[in-house]
Amino acid sequence: MRKKSLKLHNEKNEKRLRIILLFLMVMIVLVIIGGSFITTNKFGTDLYKAFVYHFIGMSFLFAAGLTFCLLILYHVFLITVYNPQRIKKSSVIKFACGGIFTLIITIVLLVFGGTAAKKSIQSMKDYENGEWQVEDVLVMDIYRGSRGHKVSFRSNSVLIETDKGEMTLYFEDSLIYKGENYRFTYLDATDTIIKVENIIE
């Protein structure tokens, strides 16, 4: 009887392990696909494709983040509800608190991801319909990532802090300098710059 119970217990553990490994495999695949789209985007020159690739890449990365949260929630559910290893009650309470915290993060990710997706889709529609905003701005700071400020032309994904807020420029055809005024043509939903003009005073 004990052997049968032990065998059943081992089978359940193996099943749980397979589910956990499945979660990890799905998460890794999602990260690889999302990262591939983001990386491919760095070598593009078409703005609309940049929107699409960025949207797809970020969607897969968000999905990977949600999969990781679901993995933790699944693990917490096992411990708090089934408690197959007979963990102490005090430890179960700690896991339950961790599960609640993870659930909050999951909800935040869903809300943030949904909002970001909605803005990206709106930007793509605005770009196709030519619904752009034009405004003169003062560039207050520039972030070009690890490449620093000594970059060649046509660098990618430049974050620009202006007196109107933070904006994104996918393709920097000519260098932009901090402390100077420019005329930006941009998409309002995501503050994505599609054209930069020097202001001649």
Side-chain angles (χ1 to χ4, degrees), residues 26 39 53 77 101 130 152 170 175 191:
V26 169
T39 304
Y53 286 3
F77 178 77
F101 181 71
S152 60
Y170 279 106
L175 288 178
D191 291 323

Side-chain angles (χ1 to χ4, degrees), residues 32-122:
I32 291 172
I33 294 173
S36 298
F37 273 99
I38 297 295
T39 304
T40 302
N41 201 21
K42 291 182 179 181
F43 302 100
T45 55
D46 183 89
L47 187 58
Y48 186 76
K49 283 184 179 178
F51 285 143
V52 175
Y53 286 3
H54 181 78
F55 174 71
I56 295 173
M58 291 305 297
S59 295
F60 275 101
L61 292 179
F62 270 116
L66 288 173
T67 304
F68 180 69
C69 289
L70 289 174
L71 171 61
I72 295 174
L73 290 173
Y74 170 75
H75 194 62
V76 169
F77 178 77
L78 282 179
I79 292 172
T80 55
V81 177
Y82 290 103
N83 197 3
Q85 308 303 332
R86 297 292 181 265
I87 297 174
K88 292 180 180 179
K89 197 170 183 179
S90 58
S91 298
V92 170
I93 293 171
K94 289 178 183 177
F95 273 100
C97 292
I100 293 169
F101 181 71
T102 305
L103 182 61
I104 293 170
I105 292 175
T106 304
I107 294 169
V108 170
L109 270 177
L110 283 170
V111 172
F112 181 76
T115 303
K118 187 177 179 181
K119 287 182 177 180
S120 294
I121 292 169
Q122 185 60 52

Side-chain angles (χ1 to χ4, degrees), residues 6-187:
L6 184 62
K7 184 180 178 182
L8 185 63
H9 180 73
N10 289 335
E11 286 176 356
K12 286 183 178 179
N13 280 340
E14 287 176 5
K15 184 180 179 181
R16 294 182 191 112
L17 182 60
R18 284 197 298 269
I19 293 172
I20 290 170
L21 289 174
L22 180 63
F23 270 111
L24 290 173
M25 287 174 62
V26 169
M27 187 176 65
I28 291 169
V29 170
L30 290 172
V31 169
I32 291 172
I33 294 173
S36 298
F37 273 99
I38 297 295
T39 304
T40 302
N41 201 21
K42 291 182 179 181
F43 302 100
T45 55
D46 183 89
L47 187 58
Y48 186 76
K49 283 184 179 178
F51 285 143
V52 175
Y53 286 3
H54 181 78
F55 174 71
I56 295 173
M58 291 305 297
S59 295
F60 275 101
L61 292 179
F62 270 116
L66 288 173
T67 304
F68 180 69
C69 289
L70 289 174
L71 171 61
I72 295 174
L73 290 173
Y74 170 75
H75 194 62
V76 169
F77 178 77
L78 282 179
I79 292 172
T80 55
V81 177
Y82 290 103
N83 197 3
Q85 308 303 332
R86 297 292 181 265
I87 297 174
K88 292 180 180 179
K89 197 170 183 179
S90 58
S91 298
V92 170
I93 293 171
K94 289 178 183 177
F95 273 100
C97 292
I100 293 169
F101 181 71
T102 305
L103 182 61
I104 293 170
I105 292 175
T106 304
I107 294 169
V108 170
L109 270 177
L110 283 170
V111 172
F112 181 76
T115 303
K118 187 177 179 181
K119 287 182 177 180
S120 294
I121 292 169
Q122 185 60 52
S123 280
M124 286 187 275
K125 287 180 180 178
D126 290 344
Y127 183 77
E128 282 186 306
N129 297 329
E131 296 176 3
W132 308 325
Q133 306 293 323
V134 180
E135 201 160 356
D136 294 346
V137 301
L138 171 65
V139 173
M140 302 174 71
D141 201 4
I142 305 169
Y143 179 71
R144 296 183 175 93
S146 60
R147 294 161 296 188
H149 291 268
K150 295 180 180 179
V151 294
S152 60
F153 286 1
R154 205 171 270 292
S155 59
N156 297 79
S157 298
V158 181
L159 295 178
I160 302 173
E161 185 67 37
T162 73
D163 56 342
K164 306 294 182 182
E166 190 177 88
M167 298 184 178
T168 303
L169 177 63
Y170 279 106
F171 306 113
E172 191 178 14
D173 292 323
S174 59
L175 288 178
I176 297 172
Y177 298 95
K178 186 169 72 172
E180 294 191 3
N181 292 293
Y182 296 89
R183 181 168 291 125
F184 286 168
T185 302
Y186 66 98
L187 300 169

